[in-house]
Amino acid sequence: MQLTFYKYEGTGNDFVMVDNREQFFPKDDIQLVKHLCDRRFGIGGDGLILLENDAEANFKMVYYNSDGNPSSMCGNGGRCLVAFAKSLGLIENKASFIAIDGLHHATIAENGIVSLEMSDVNEVKIYPEYVFLDTGSPHHVQMEVDLFHLDVKAIGSSIRNSDLYGKAGSNINFVKQVSEDTFAIRTYERGVEDETLSCGTGATAVAIAMHAIGKTPNNHIGIDVQGGKLQVAFEKEGSTYTKVMLIGPATFVFKGTISC
């Protein structure tokens, strides 16, 4: 099979995009997805995303981690998919799409900044050493003093695979406060099983967690990731975080074909 693909990245979180509106892609072939995401023998990416037709929204998002397995919501991937849909002529500056966690809405500005509405967060679990919440994907959030010398892969892997989260695991975020409304983060992603340069649902989780534990009173928060800068905005109604927006660039890298 000759596969046409498109490479996109959002603050360094990179994805292989495939237009699967004709339903030709073998969606159960875990090894194929893993191969395409391989940085040495394939195209390379933190994940693979299929764009498909949907009866009620502009399109559907089907997301795979780089280990080849279907996964939970990917915020940066969703933003990149909106940019991809615009390049295909499916949308102009507004989009609605279905992902594994439900319906999402997004806008894309002329400068390429994509604002993606994330799922509401109904529960934030606060523990003495960390915070846990689900922003479309499960996230463990903990503060660190020496963030930039941290062995994220080793420590993140140990927490992700611990009895704390069982077989399903969790994404692990390490955080340092930069200012009243800005935080630097590094994230270990399950499914990639390594640190990534950016994680959209992780950035969202950190912003909400920092607000929940009183580290910031603001509801528009800057998140410095390894690959750039994201913003997260939200409102709070009772104990629920609503109108959660993940905001940042989504950039086309290249188009190609590969035999598989």
Side-chain angles (χ1 to χ4, degrees):
M1 177 177 68
Q2 283 288 115
L3 176 68
T4 299
F5 67 87
Y6 304 76
K7 186 75 176 287
Y8 277 78
E9 62 88 10
T11 54
N13 204 187
D14 60 338
F15 307 96
V16 178
M17 299 283 187
V18 177
D19 180 356
N20 195 43
R21 286 176 290 170
E22 299 298 325
Q23 292 289 326
F24 68 91
F25 192 88
K27 294 165 70 172
D28 295 329
D29 193 337
I30 292 174
Q31 291 305 313
L32 173 59
V33 175
K34 186 176 181 180
H35 169 71
L36 293 173
C37 291
D38 192 288
R39 298 190 183 279
R40 293 173 178 83
F41 299 103
I43 302 162
D46 292 325
L48 180 142
I49 302 175
L50 304 178
L51 183 149
E52 298 186 347
N53 289 317
D54 186 82
E56 298 179 359
N58 293 129
F59 52 89
K60 180 180 180 181
M61 172 183 180
V62 180
Y63 178 68
Y64 298 84
N65 278 326
S66 61
D67 65 2
N69 291 298
S71 188
S72 47
M73 179 57 185
C74 177
N76 285 330
R79 293 191 308 99
C80 286
L81 190 62
V82 171
F84 180 41
K86 182 174 181 178
S87 77
L88 295 175
L90 298 180
I91 61 167
E92 292 185 6
N93 61 353
K94 294 182 179 180
S96 64
F97 68 90
I98 293 290
I100 193 167
D101 63 339
L103 180 66
H104 291 265
H105 294 91
T107 59
I108 181 167
E110 289 185 6
N111 63 358
I113 298 296
V114 177
S115 301
L116 172 63
E117 186 175 8
M118 305 292 284
S119 298
D120 289 353
V121 176
N122 299 308
E123 184 178 29
V124 180
K125 297 180 179 179
I126 301 172
Y127 300 95
E129 302 296 329
Y130 65 94
V131 178
F132 179 80
L133 64 162
D134 194 308
T135 53
S137 290
H139 282 277
H140 171 110
V141 178
Q142 67 181 51
M143 302 290 292
E144 294 289 341
V145 174
D146 193 8
L147 177 67
F148 301 107
H149 293 97
L150 198 69
D151 190 341
V152 168
K153 184 173 182 179
I155 300 172
S157 177
S158 67
I159 300 172
R160 176 257 192 268
N161 292 297
S162 69
D163 292 339
L164 190 62
Y165 297 115
K167 185 177 180 180
S170 175
N171 300 286
I172 312 299
N173 302 272
F174 304 97
V175 189
K176 181 179 177 66
Q177 187 158 12
V178 177
S179 68
E180 182 182 73
D181 63 355
T182 304
F183 298 84
I185 74 170
R186 296 176 67 187
T187 302
Y188 178 93
E189 284 199 56
R190 65 173 188 170
V192 179
E193 306 308 335
D194 203 347
E195 180 178 9
T196 55
L197 292 180
S198 179
C199 176
T201 55
T204 305
V206 167
I208 291 173
M210 294 302 100
H211 184 272
I213 64 175
K215 292 293 183 181
T216 178
N218 297 339
N219 65 348
H220 194 125
I221 295 170
I223 301 292
D224 295 344
V225 296
Q226 295 287 86
K229 295 181 181 294
L230 294 168
Q231 298 176 62
V232 178
F234 51 78
E235 295 182 8
K236 191 177 182 185
E237 298 178 3
S239 60
T240 299
Y241 287 87
T242 67
K243 299 180 181 177
V244 181
M245 302 298 295
L246 174 66
I247 306 160
T251 306
F252 170 71
V253 183
F254 63 88
K255 174 184 177 181
T257 59
I258 187 171
S259 298
C260 52

